[in-house]
Amino acid sequence: MENIKDFNSYNKEYRKSIKSPEQFWQEKASHFLWRKKWDNVLSWDFNKPEVKWFEGGQLNITENCLDRHLEKRGNQTAIKWIANNPEEQNRCLSYSELYDEVCRFSNVLKSNGAKKGDRICLYMPMVPELAIAVLACARIGAIHSVVFAGFSAQSLSDRINDANCTILITADGAFRGDKITPLKDISDEAMDTSPTIQKCIVLKRTNSDINIKSGRDVWWNEEIEKVHKNCTAEVMDSEDPLFILYTSGSTGKPKGIVHSTAGYMIYTEFSFKNVFQYNEGDIYWCTADIGWITGHSYIVYGPLLAGATTIMFEGVPTYPDAGRFWKIVEENKVNIFYTAPTAIRSLEANGMEFVTPYDLSSLKVLGTVGEPINEDAWHWYDKEIGKGNCPIVDTWWQTETGGIMISNLSGVTPSKPSFATFPLPGIQACLVDENGIELEGNSVEGRLCVKFPWPSMARTIYGDHNRFRETYFSVFKNKYFTGDGCLRDENGMYRITGRVDDVLIVSGHNLGTAEIESAMDEHKNVCEAAIVAFPHPIKGNGVYAYVICHNSPDNKEELRKEINDLVSKIVGPIGKADKIQFVSSLPKTRSGKIMRRILRKIASGDTEDLGDTSTLLDPFVIEEIKCGAL
Ligand code: WTA
């Protein structure tokens, strides 16, 4: 399948994808390995909601990531892994080595009792074994649920329990910068409250001292010795679930987003190749963690489906210093580089002395994802990293969308700083006003929706289809609602303006206000907390907490620390508040709803025009909050 090569062909393809979606996607599906061809390309009903792509088809996604490539590119590097510690040897796994490892580990899963349809939780460092375990689950038809290794024991346990996972795969520890995260200790604590786990498979990574509970815990390296090396892939239906990935919602309970097999496969490969204009032989690096959707779709599945060489980096951008990314680009002659605005801003703030020493001339394409990129950071990225020669693809999408939805195609369609620009072929994006009326034409601003199914869209929230409908399909009738605000400029280009619901995007990570608020409520002196975002120079958004105490604290700093320690323990360190302001009450409507809009304004330092406050129960609270603003 050829990539789209110019703006004209993009327009042609886009029109075709709207006029005959079934034919369009059928053509994108035909080069894959199918055990049985599909009977029906698409059936859908957004009211239920129910969406089925390629029904009747049978396949295994790992045969498409691995087996399919063996003849042509068995010796080509599939995954190039770079360790956190710059002195440690890198590892290269060719397609045939990766295939062998995946088959072996598939057999380990089976010998530990895993079957098709079981849920398996992965809580691991960014090492090749994480990708191997993901693929092994898919190979045997088990549903993987990867939990980011920065989450707390309680968050891990909640996620295991929500999906009733039977196996947990973890490591003794994870290296991150100069720290070690004790993954097995955290897993032990999680398993204390997660009775469904029957086996815990432990990878040796940091050689930390850990507890092994006999009968439950087994070592990866010992298990791998006991199994044979061939593993036939399980035959899956197109609509069989491939994975669950949790994302924050506007209530405290995270949502287990479920993706299915065939549609996800087709869309991640298509979007990977076209957005990044991937060419045979390109070295591709996405700096995300596999614990997030970006890592699922654009470190593991998309690139491997396309037969690319994908780099996997264990460490952080600033260790051992802020030149680490650029050193890796130079040493590996990276052609396509995909990262988050937060990383760009933080590296920019560290100064050019960390960029100048490195030869970045191999770069052809730059990408960003996860949050809006401000114009300053866009220009710095363009000038200092791309040297004015690399198109920047600003890719807008979500855990729920499975793949990139709105983005320029590198060098093919026009770009504009801080605009995600145009929807990909097949994506019928639209803007609506608060009443759900579609805003036609250009130069309009509203809420971003999608009015027609695309192959990689989420199919449900695990165990809660009702919540799936309520959150995404009943806010606006017959449309998928993204939760984002967006404008369309005079040329029809889209610019995402940020969340319009109770989800915060901090350093590109989704956090639910309710999640953090209920963690703070656990403190014995906290009566009520309200969380909002405020503009932060590096993280995009920071977390601002307004806290009401039972007893006025003697030592505010100490209480702030205690509250944040608790958030860190319950939600994980990414949820910690940057600012905590103690207040005696919160602005609420007569029906008791916190008016976050007002709190957001005050947190951002804009106390002049607070807009309509007429529905407030007690207008005087605002004066007090304004005076104490941090
Ligand atoms: C935000 C990450 C502006 C948006 C792939 C979305 C963006 C949420 C962009 C999803 C972008 C993602 N420009 N905002 N290019 N990409 N977002 O589920 O608010 O972790 O709804 O998926 O991130 O975050 P998630």
Side-chain angles (χ1 to χ4, degrees):
M1 192 186 54
E2 282 280 298
N3 289 345
I4 298 168
K5 281 278 165 259
D6 53 56
F7 196 28
N8 261 342
S9 334
Y10 160 80
N11 283 320
K12 247 176 40 208
E13 288 280 295
Y14 190 80
R15 279 196 298 271
K16 182 169 155 195
S17 76
I18 306 297
K19 208 169 140 238
S20 345
E22 302 194 5
Q23 198 194 335
F24 178 85
W25 287 114
Q26 180 148 282
E27 283 166 17
K28 310 297 173 223
S30 56
H31 66 286
F32 288 102
L33 251 182
W34 294 86
R35 292 288 194 94
K36 176 177 168 286
K37 212 184 151 204
W38 58 90
D39 304 318
N40 187 23
V41 180
L42 170 66
S43 63
W44 65 292
D45 176 354
F46 273 181
N47 288 320
K48 282 187 176 170
E50 187 179 82
V51 172
K52 292 182 175 168
W53 283 95
F54 300 98
E55 249 189 310
Q58 292 190 318
L59 73 161
N60 186 290
I61 196 169
T62 71
E63 289 190 330
N64 285 286
C65 290
L66 302 169
D67 311 42
R68 181 166 65 111
H69 297 312
L70 292 181
E71 199 179 321
K72 182 169 170 204
R73 54 178 101 252
N75 294 325
Q76 180 199 315
T77 301
I79 294 179
K80 181 160 191 191
W81 173 78
I82 295 155
N84 174 66
N85 176 354
E87 265 89 65
E88 192 178 332
Q89 194 69 69
N90 298 336
R91 279 167 66 190
C92 283
L93 285 153
S94 67
Y95 271 90
S96 67
E97 285 163 338
L98 182 60
Y99 168 83
D100 286 342
E101 299 280 346
V102 169
C103 288
R104 265 188 188 279
F105 194 67
S106 299
N107 288 329
V108 169
L109 290 176
K110 285 189 190 168
S111 67
N112 280 280
K115 305 176 305 297
K116 178 175 179 171
D118 287 355
R119 277 80 54 216
I120 297 183
C121 182
L122 283 66
Y123 183 67
M124 294 184 72
M126 275 286 286
V127 291
E129 284 76 8
L130 171 52
I132 291 165
V134 160
L135 293 165
C137 289
R139 193 157 186 93
I140 66 165
I143 300 167
H144 54 79
S145 166
V146 182
V147 176
F148 174 61
F151 276 116
S152 64
Q154 188 171 331
S155 299
L156 174 60
S157 173
D158 288 347
R159 285 158 176 74
I160 293 172
N161 295 344
D162 184 70
N164 286 323
C165 295
T166 49
I167 294 180
L168 172 63
I169 308 171
T170 188
D172 50 356
F175 294 113
R176 257 179 91 75
D178 55 7
K179 295 198 191 68
I180 289 181
T181 314
L183 295 185
K184 180 61 166 61
D185 293 350
I186 300 172
S187 297
D188 286 343
E189 199 187 325
M191 284 187 286
D192 283 344
T193 51
S194 290
T196 52
I197 296 292
Q198 285 156 16
K199 290 280 176 174
C200 176
I201 304 174
V202 188
L203 178 78
K204 206 171 255 178
R205 173 68 190 121
T206 52
N207 279 317
S208 310
D209 237 355
I210 57 160
N211 294 317
I212 288 287
K213 183 169 167 186
S214 96
R216 184 192 69 186
D217 303 348
V218 294
W219 285 104
W220 178 303
N221 60 317
E222 289 174 8
E223 292 300 292
I224 213 90
E225 294 301 323
K226 299 182 196 160
V227 295
H228 52 85
K229 78 185 235 295
N230 298 323
C231 175
T232 317
E234 192 73 35
V235 180
M236 306 300 286
D237 290 338
S238 291
E239 280 297 324
D240 276 339
L242 175 63
F243 65 86
I244 303 172
L245 185 60
Y246 285 87
T247 188
S248 294
S250 48
T251 71
K253 195 168 179 268
K255 301 174 284 196
I257 299 297
V258 179
H259 281 286
S260 67
T261 306
Y264 178 82
M265 171 181 83
I266 290 156
Y267 195 81
T268 49
E269 194 216 44
F270 170 77
S271 52
F272 171 75
K273 283 182 170 171
N274 282 287
V275 169
F276 301 107
Q277 288 291 301
Y278 171 76
N279 283 310
E280 191 73 39
D282 282 345
I283 306 292
Y284 164 85
W285 180 23
C286 166
T287 70
D289 192 289
I290 293 176
W292 310 115
I293 190 67
T294 308
H296 281 60
S297 302
Y298 299 110
I299 295 178
V300 182
Y301 287 113
L304 294 178
L305 287 162
T309 296
T310 175
I311 291 186
M312 193 175 162
F313 174 45
E314 182 184 31
V316 295
T318 48
Y319 179 81
D321 63 47
R324 190 70 198 276
F325 273 6
W326 319 127
K327 185 165 189 275
I328 294 174
V329 168
E330 175 182 281
E331 285 175 357
N332 298 282
K333 300 202 166 30
V334 172
N335 304 118
I336 304 171
F337 178 73
Y338 189 30
T339 195
T342 291
I344 298 169
R345 287 188 293 262
S346 114
L347 296 178
E348 177 184 2
N350 275 281
M352 282 305 290
E353 68 262 37
F354 293 103
V355 182
T356 320
Y358 302 103
D359 175 7
L360 304 180
S361 60
S362 58
L363 290 173
K364 295 194 295 193
V365 180
L366 302 175
T368 76
V369 57
E371 52 185 310
I373 179 162
N374 49 308
E375 288 200 33
D376 273 358
W378 193 99
H379 286 294
W380 184 83
Y381 198 28
D382 176 43
K383 174 162 171 262
E384 307 296 356
I385 304 304
K387 315 293 176 196
N389 295 322
C390 304
I392 297 176
V393 290
D394 179 349
T395 65
W396 175 84
W397 57 296
Q398 308 179 296
T399 304
E400 295 86 341
T401 69
I404 298 168
M405 302 285 280
I406 305 183
S407 171
N408 48 319
L409 311 183
S410 174
V412 169
T413 64
S415 66
K416 179 172 176 183
S418 82
F419 278 69
T421 76
F422 296 113
L424 263 62
I427 305 307
Q428 301 197 25
C430 67
L431 301 181
V432 301
D433 67 12
E434 357 12 320
N435 303 316
I437 308 293
E438 190 172 341
L439 303 164
E440 309 273 352
N442 291 337
S443 304
V444 285
E445 182 164 358
R447 281 141 205 252
L448 180 61
C449 294
V450 188
K451 55 184 179 183
F452 193 85
W454 64 101
S456 64
M457 66 189 291
R459 300 298 195 262
T460 191
I461 291 175
Y462 192 82
D464 200 347
H465 197 62
N466 205 26
R467 187 175 180 197
F468 185 62
R469 176 176 47 242
E470 294 290 316
T471 312
Y472 304 108
F473 296 90
S474 44
V475 184
F476 303 114
K477 202 170 160 34
N478 258 321
K479 292 182 181 71
Y480 166 81
F481 175 46
T482 63
D484 281 325
C486 180
L487 63 82
R488 191 162 56 220
D489 77 358
E490 62 284 5
N491 300 313
M493 286 186 172
Y494 288 80
R495 177 188 192 149
I496 313 302
T497 51
R499 301 291 303 187
V500 294
D501 58 7
D502 293 340
V503 175
L504 315 181
I505 310 282
V506 175
S507 298
H509 301 315
N510 291 10
L511 293 168
T513 48
E515 245 175 312
I516 306 173
E517 286 161 3
S518 63
M520 290 188 172
D521 286 346
E522 300 273 305
H523 192 284
K524 60 179 185 314
N525 196 15
V526 171
C527 169
E528 188 174 3
I531 301 294
V532 295
F534 72 100
H536 187 284
I538 304 290
K539 303 199 291 186
N541 288 311
V543 176
Y544 197 114
Y546 296 88
V547 173
I548 304 175
C549 296
H550 291 291
N551 305 306
S552 139
D554 298 331
N555 184 335
K556 286 187 178 169
E557 266 326 294
E558 205 173 283
L559 182 56
R560 286 191 176 103
K561 186 172 175 304
E562 283 173 21
I563 292 174
N564 263 338
D565 286 349
L566 204 58
V567 172
S568 190
K569 187 165 167 277
I570 297 173
V571 179
I574 51 176
K576 286 203 279 193
D578 299 276
K579 294 184 179 179
I580 299 180
Q581 180 183 350
F582 297 106
V583 295
S584 63
S585 58
L586 290 165
K588 289 193 178 167
T589 61
R590 289 184 181 84
S591 60
K593 207 168 163 350
I594 297 173
M595 292 188 77
R596 285 175 207 279
R597 177 176 57 78
I598 292 175
L599 294 177
R600 262 196 296 269
K601 280 235 164 186
I602 298 174
S604 68
D606 176 9
T607 52
E608 285 300 303
D609 175 22
L610 294 178
D612 179 16
T613 53
S614 60
T615 54
L616 269 180
L617 184 62
D618 172 12
F620 295 108
V621 301
I622 296 187
E623 289 312 311
E624 181 217 311
I625 295 178
K626 265 164 56 176
C627 294
L630 298 172

